[in-house]
Amino acid sequence: MPDFSFRVLHTDGAARRGEMQTAHGAVQTPAFMPVGTRGAVKGMTPRDLREAGAEIILGNTYHLWLRPGDGLIAGLGGIHRFTGWDGPILTDSGGFQAFSLGAKRVMTEDGIRFRSHLDGSEHLLTPEGATDIQARLGPDIAMVLDECLAQPAALGTVRESTERSARWARRCRDRFLELREVTNPGQAQFGIIQGGTVPELRTLSVERTLAIGFEAYAIGGLSVGEPADIMYSVVGHTAPQLPADRPRYLMGVGTPLDIVEAVSRGIDLFDCVMPTRNARNGQLFTSVGRLTIKNAKYAGDGGPLDPACSCYTCRTHSRAYLRHLFVSGEIGAAVLNTVHNLRFYLDTMARVRQAIVFGTLETLRQSLQAMFSRPLSDS
């Protein structure tokens, strides 16, 4: 895979400061990937994302397959040209979205049969199909199709799901290696480690997934309601078993504190809807903790949202104005709040990378723990 590589530049304990090279550019790690499920990060343009400091974004196979269609996107030059984002893109396989349909989907050995949330039409998403769709979309990183399991679950159920995910991973890889005509010839494929919260099954999943061989590896099946200490324990058990010369991706995580805790356990890549979703709901991340902008106390507050932030929102608008937009239901509230929240997350990742270089990650971890372990801020 000549267009994909990874190197570790510095370490601080288990934490790694690295650089991931893709067909559409380099990503400094640890990195956070804003979530653009349908080919767009809600409330943000590609220009806004660049200004916020994003280097890589995430899209979703399920949604782009159903609308506007992977064939249409391929015909228009692939997902980079279609969206106007010329940097690296990772696409999730769509397994979690299909799983989330609940009674509208059936899991079998063949794949996931489901009814579309758009029009009720029936579809079958197979490991080979997920691989084909992503080949046509043309992201720089494609994820294998895995089975997402609701927790808590019986041990036998977790084992069966883990083994099925490993079989699906083999099918995805075989198909990936067969493909000849793809939108992005430099595409890499990541395997996914499952196993619930059972250490032995996580180890089994690592062994079977590494035996297949992928450009890199992700840890899936976490941040689905389990306590934070359990998540940290699973990450701490799993990450050291993954190859040191490949990036490690923790899927769907999480809060700033979750991210720095996972970085300290050896994780390099993250994605989460929290900064964008919370922005639309009026919850903002700041240097003094979380802030709920709808609170009446901000109605006459002429100060910036976060004096320590240099994003457009904080440079230009007061808390009073942001509250006015939010309680008035103005679209601009979601835009300005998202600009800030993503900038906070991406600035936090820059601080994490710097802390690893200087050997001060533990100090930063303690700072974030104090900041985000207390109740919502009224500062």
Side-chain angles (χ1 to χ4, degrees):
M1 186 59 59
D3 291 308
F4 185 87
S5 64
F6 177 73
R7 58 181 181 142
V8 175
L9 305 175
H10 300 275
T11 60
D12 182 4
R16 297 122 59 86
R17 163 74 173 93
E19 182 177 86
M20 182 176 72
Q21 186 68 45
T22 77
H24 284 83
V27 178
Q28 303 305 309
T29 64
F32 179 81
M33 299 180 284
V35 176
T37 301
R38 297 173 177 84
V41 178
K42 287 183 172 62
M44 300 286 279
T45 66
R47 178 193 59 201
D48 295 330
L49 290 166
R50 284 294 186 193
E51 184 175 320
E55 293 184 326
I56 179 172
I57 64 172
L58 180 145
N60 184 261
T61 296
Y62 168 90
H63 288 284
L64 294 171
W65 174 36
L66 294 183
R67 186 170 59 190
D70 50 302
L72 183 149
I73 293 174
L76 293 172
I79 193 169
H80 295 85
R81 292 184 62 183
F82 183 67
T83 63
W85 172 262
D86 60 1
I89 298 176
L90 178 149
T91 51
D92 195 2
S93 66
F96 178 79
Q97 285 68 31
F99 165 79
S100 299
L101 294 171
K104 294 182 179 180
R105 58 99 180 122
V106 177
M107 200 84 63
T108 70
E109 188 64 29
D110 287 340
I112 309 170
R113 189 174 297 279
F114 65 92
R115 292 195 175 276
S116 166
H117 71 287
L118 298 174
D119 59 9
S121 58
E122 187 172 284
H123 302 269
L124 175 64
L125 183 63
T126 66
E128 294 82 5
T131 306
D132 290 346
I133 294 165
Q134 292 178 91
R136 287 188 285 269
L137 293 174
D140 301 281
I141 298 168
M143 304 302 299
V144 300
L145 183 67
D146 60 335
E147 180 177 355
C148 301
L149 188 65
Q151 295 290 341
L155 179 61
T157 302
V158 179
R159 178 178 292 277
E160 181 180 351
S161 175
T162 302
E163 292 178 343
R164 175 177 287 153
S165 287
R167 293 192 295 271
W168 283 4
R170 167 56 71 184
R171 289 167 58 185
C172 286
R173 190 59 175 178
D174 288 347
R175 183 66 167 185
F176 182 82
L177 296 175
E178 291 172 355
L179 294 171
R180 291 294 178 266
E181 293 188 13
V182 297
T183 303
N184 179 0
Q187 186 177 93
Q189 188 182 49
F190 283 20
I192 302 176
I193 308 303
Q194 287 290 348
T197 59
V198 184
E200 294 80 6
L201 293 181
R202 286 284 171 178
T203 296
L204 174 67
S205 183
V206 168
E207 291 172 351
R208 295 196 176 180
T209 309
L210 264 60
I212 298 169
F214 292 92
E215 279 70 58
Y217 301 89
I219 299 175
L222 293 176
S223 194
V224 290
E226 76 282 354
D229 60 335
I230 297 296
M231 177 176 70
Y232 300 157
S233 177
V234 172
V235 172
H237 171 82
T238 308
Q241 300 183 58
L242 300 176
D245 63 346
R246 310 290 174 93
R248 303 162 179 166
Y249 167 28
L250 180 57
M251 305 179 74
V253 176
T255 68
L257 179 58
D258 288 340
I259 288 173
V260 76
E261 290 283 359
V263 167
S264 71
R265 290 163 171 80
I267 300 298
D268 308 296
L269 294 171
F270 302 87
D271 80 280
C272 187
V273 298
M274 186 171 289
T276 49
R277 179 178 292 169
N278 285 23
R280 298 192 301 277
N281 293 330
Q283 186 181 114
L284 303 168
F285 295 89
T286 77
S287 59
V288 292
R290 289 171 293 183
L291 179 152
T292 303
I293 198 62
K294 70 179 180 181
N295 288 351
K297 66 177 295 181
Y298 301 124
D301 190 337
L305 172 61
D306 185 353
C309 180
S310 61
C311 77
Y312 172 82
T313 301
C314 293
R315 294 195 317 266
T316 310
H317 299 296
S318 67
R319 291 176 174 181
Y321 182 64
L322 295 174
R323 179 184 184 275
H324 162 68
L325 293 180
F326 185 80
V327 299
S328 300
E330 288 288 342
I331 294 173
V335 172
L336 292 170
N337 291 348
T338 303
V339 164
H340 169 74
N341 269 2
L342 280 180
R343 178 64 170 269
F344 181 88
Y345 262 68
L346 294 164
D347 279 355
T348 298
M349 299 312 301
R351 293 174 63 199
V352 166
R353 292 191 294 269
Q354 183 180 53
I356 294 171
V357 173
F358 288 100
T360 59
L361 184 63
E362 175 58 19
T363 301
L364 178 58
R365 187 195 69 80
Q366 292 179 17
S367 172
L368 289 172
Q369 185 176 50
M371 187 185 304
F372 291 103
S373 61
R374 58 178 179 253
L376 294 183
S377 172
D378 281 332
S379 60

